[in-house]
Amino acid sequence: MRFPSLRHRPRLHWPALLLCSALGSAVFLSIGVPAGMLLGCMLAAVVLATQDMEVQVPAPLFAIGQAVIACLMARSLHFEVLHRVAGEWPLFLGIAFAVMSASVLLGYWLMRSGLLPGSTAVWGLAPGAASAMVLMAGDFGADTRLVAFMQYLRVAIVTAIASLVAHYASVSAAPAGVAALSWGAQFGQWLTIHNPTHAGISVALVLVAAWLGRVLGFPGAALLVPMALGLVLDNLSPWKLELPGPLLALAYAVLGWGIGLRFNRAILEHAWRVLPRVLLAIGALIALGLLIATGLMVLGGVPPLTAYLATSPGGADSVAVIAVSAAVDAGFVMAMQMVRFFMVLLLGPRLSRWLVQRVAGRTHP
């Protein structure tokens, strides 16, 4: 579907994005899909971006959205959860290392195929920390356009699948006769503020953390800085994190747009010939996550949906939105996701660089 009349009218691009996002979100929320607003905004952004409509989310707004999601993650990571991670560290580290190793091996397979230049394949499949991987990939000879395409395609696919799985799992688990909340009830919940003081302090923390994340600028700062501040506020102060509904809605929309707007026609046309193998590699990562989730269910007694979201190879921020919207152990999910996030952030660049140098040394003695 093409919209030539809109493509040449830049002033209509933002209104079109807002309208399509509202319609898409309404559809998903009406059928009870967890993170329906995130999914609706992401798909709307993909549709408009592939029509050559140049819409960019302002950097300060995106930073605020990331800070809100980071605080949402911090709210799930209570000290009890962190204590559990410390007590079961071999399990958490083993699963994180398995997913990261699989991504590196799949990247190596794609790199040896010769369809992608330099180290693009290795950086493109590194799980989690998508924005950090895109930023660092250019310093090691990778095509950042293709890295961004691979990273955000994986995040988009995993987010969509995880959201739909969470939806159908919650529907099948719901007791008979339990009806979904009406639109009025949902709207009322979004506008409810339980403690104005906590909400005000939380909003102030988000704004300060977003600014600090941009100023510090190290890889992962946009998530790590607000998450650390959120953990301190929620666990070591007399106040608690309370994120108002409109602020959460803004964060979900910004995150969805940030993923979807990466998919413009130029990148898709550039990546078309490698798309089948990229999809195959992404499918293999998803299958590995499902296999590990099955092991957690059978051997560890972890509930199915909790295990699936915990091992899902998507972005930690998008999984956080789904986890808090579904009936799962959000603390366990976020603990597993954050262990992998830190591992990828610390070891991913080093492993990728080592592998690229090793292959280059064999190719050019």
Side-chain angles (χ1 to χ4, degrees):
M1 184 182 297
R2 303 286 290 165
F3 304 99
S5 60
L6 282 177
R7 191 167 68 252
H8 300 296
R9 297 182 180 180
R11 291 184 179 181
L12 296 180
H13 292 179
W14 264 108
L17 177 62
L18 293 173
L19 177 60
C20 291
S21 299
L23 293 175
S25 301
V27 170
F28 287 117
L29 289 173
S30 66
I31 59 177
V33 174
M37 182 171 292
L38 167 67
L39 201 56
C41 292
M42 182 181 73
L43 293 180
V46 169
V47 170
L48 294 187
T50 53
Q51 305 299 314
D52 296 329
M53 298 183 192
E54 297 184 1
V55 181
Q56 292 185 348
V57 179
L61 187 62
F62 191 74
I64 291 173
Q66 285 184 303
V68 173
I69 301 301
C71 288
L72 196 66
M73 296 159 70
R75 201 169 61 181
S76 301
L77 290 173
H78 299 297
F79 282 165
E80 294 82 3
V81 176
L82 299 178
H83 184 266
R84 179 180 180 182
V85 173
E88 302 178 18
W89 64 265
L91 171 68
F92 285 87
L93 289 181
I95 292 176
F97 188 75
V99 176
M100 188 177 68
S101 299
S103 72
V104 171
L105 291 175
L106 288 167
Y108 172 77
W109 167 68
L110 278 176
M111 185 168 60
R112 290 298 299 268
S113 71
L115 293 174
L116 292 166
S119 58
T120 299
V122 178
W123 292 101
L125 285 178
S131 57
M133 293 298 105
V134 174
L135 289 174
M136 289 186 286
D139 296 331
F140 298 96
D143 186 330
T144 54
R145 296 176 303 168
L146 288 174
V147 171
F149 166 75
M150 294 172 67
Q151 283 285 343
Y152 286 97
L153 179 63
R154 172 181 55 80
V155 172
I157 291 175
V158 171
T159 299
I161 292 176
S163 183
L164 294 176
V165 168
H167 166 60
Y168 288 112
S170 61
V171 168
S172 62
V178 175
L181 288 175
S182 66
W183 274 98
Q186 291 187 51
F187 188 72
Q189 282 189 345
W190 276 81
L191 294 181
T192 300
I193 295 178
H194 299 287
N195 189 311
T197 301
H198 292 182
I201 292 174
S202 299
V203 172
L205 181 142
V206 164
L207 296 177
V208 171
W211 176 77
L212 280 176
R214 293 189 66 202
V215 170
L216 296 176
F218 60 84
L223 285 178
L224 296 179
V225 171
M227 187 183 304
L229 294 177
L231 281 170
V232 171
L233 177 69
D234 211 41
N235 291 278
L236 299 178
S237 78
W239 305 288
K240 297 297 178 183
L241 280 171
E242 182 174 346
L243 302 169
L247 189 62
L248 283 173
L250 172 66
Y252 295 172
V254 165
L255 181 60
W257 293 335
I259 296 171
L261 291 174
R262 301 274 180 167
F263 298 96
N264 59 57
R265 289 180 62 82
I267 292 178
L268 292 179
E269 290 171 359
H270 190 66
W272 181 252
R273 65 191 183 96
V274 298
L275 183 60
R277 294 200 183 197
V278 171
L279 289 175
L280 183 61
I282 293 172
L285 278 178
I286 295 173
L288 174 65
L290 185 59
L291 181 64
I292 296 174
T294 303
L296 284 175
M297 289 186 290
V298 174
L299 302 177
V302 179
L305 186 55
T306 297
Y308 177 77
L309 291 178
T311 58
S312 178
D317 44 8
S318 55
V319 172
V321 176
I322 299 170
V324 299
S325 307
V328 299
D329 183 349
F332 181 83
V333 171
M334 292 320 307
M336 190 71 76
Q337 288 285 335
M338 290 313 302
V339 168
R340 195 187 69 212
F341 176 84
F342 283 117
M343 182 173 287
V344 170
L345 205 60
L346 294 174
L347 300 181
R350 294 173 175 81
L351 282 175
S352 300
R353 184 170 60 246
W354 173 81
L355 184 60
V356 170
Q357 291 173 345
R358 186 176 179 85
V359 172
R362 288 182 177 180
T363 308
H364 304 288

